[in-house]
Amino acid sequence: MRVHRPNSVHPINRKMSEMARRHDVIHDIDCIYRNTTKDFWCMFEWKNPGEDMSSTGTLASMQEMDQAFADSSDTYRGLFIVRFGFSVDSFPLDDTQQLEVVHLYDGILLEGKTYTEGGLSAIQHILDYGRILR
């Protein structure tokens, strides 16, 4: 798979795309978080309001990575795809902002939730407990 929007990825990933075979997949996860106190870790993918959730190939790649991590670690809690109601570059994040969270584990959609407000608390809950705030 070739990089479709080369300006949206790191230069090293663009170079890897040039070096890779045509059907290989290169995926850039936005954040891998480890909670050392409660001994768990998870992945995050950040999405801007107008950004596509992901192409079929990218989503399949993320599910494949999620499955591999779930199979290899008892402390892995899953992949959280977070769509902000504001630009990812607009900070600070606070509880007046909205966001949508989708939680995958072992390649399977576990749950999703839209927060009309409380963005900061929703992310903090995932960092503290490795699950979506209800």
Side-chain angles (χ1 to χ4, degrees):
M1 171 190 285
R2 295 288 181 215
V3 174
H4 296 286
R5 291 179 289 244
N7 293 334
S8 67
V9 297
H10 296 288
I12 188 64
N13 287 353
R14 288 195 297 271
K15 182 63 177 173
M16 287 179 65
S17 178
E18 293 168 9
M19 296 167 55
R21 293 182 312 239
R22 183 164 191 251
H23 297 287
D24 289 349
V25 176
I26 298 168
H27 188 71
D28 177 29
I29 287 293
D30 292 325
C31 178
I32 296 178
Y33 171 76
R34 177 149 183 81
N35 181 320
T36 55
T37 302
K38 295 190 177 168
D39 191 30
F40 73 83
W41 66 283
C42 55
M43 295 188 301
F44 289 91
E45 181 73 17
W46 312 120
K47 296 291 184 187
N48 280 311
E51 191 176 355
D52 291 338
M53 194 53 145
S54 290
S55 70
T56 305
T58 301
L59 191 53
S61 171
M62 289 192 315
Q63 288 175 318
E64 189 175 291
M65 285 188 302
D66 180 53
Q67 286 174 312
F69 290 143
D71 289 345
S72 65
S73 174
D74 292 336
T75 60
Y76 175 69
R77 297 284 173 89
L79 167 64
F80 295 88
I81 302 173
V82 180
R83 178 178 303 286
F84 293 102
F86 56 93
S87 170
V88 173
D89 299 320
S90 298
F91 277 92
L93 173 63
D94 61 37
D95 273 332
T96 64
Q97 293 153 329
Q98 70 177 34
L99 52 81
E100 175 187 351
V101 181
V102 173
H103 182 192
L104 295 160
Y105 179 78
D106 199 17
I108 299 168
L109 174 66
L110 291 183
E111 60 185 327
K113 182 161 183 173
T114 299
Y115 301 88
T116 55
E117 59 183 22
L120 178 68
S121 296
I123 298 292
Q124 188 64 58
H125 190 82
I126 296 168
L127 297 178
D128 292 344
Y129 302 103
R131 63 181 180 268
I132 290 180
L133 176 64
R134 301 194 188 269

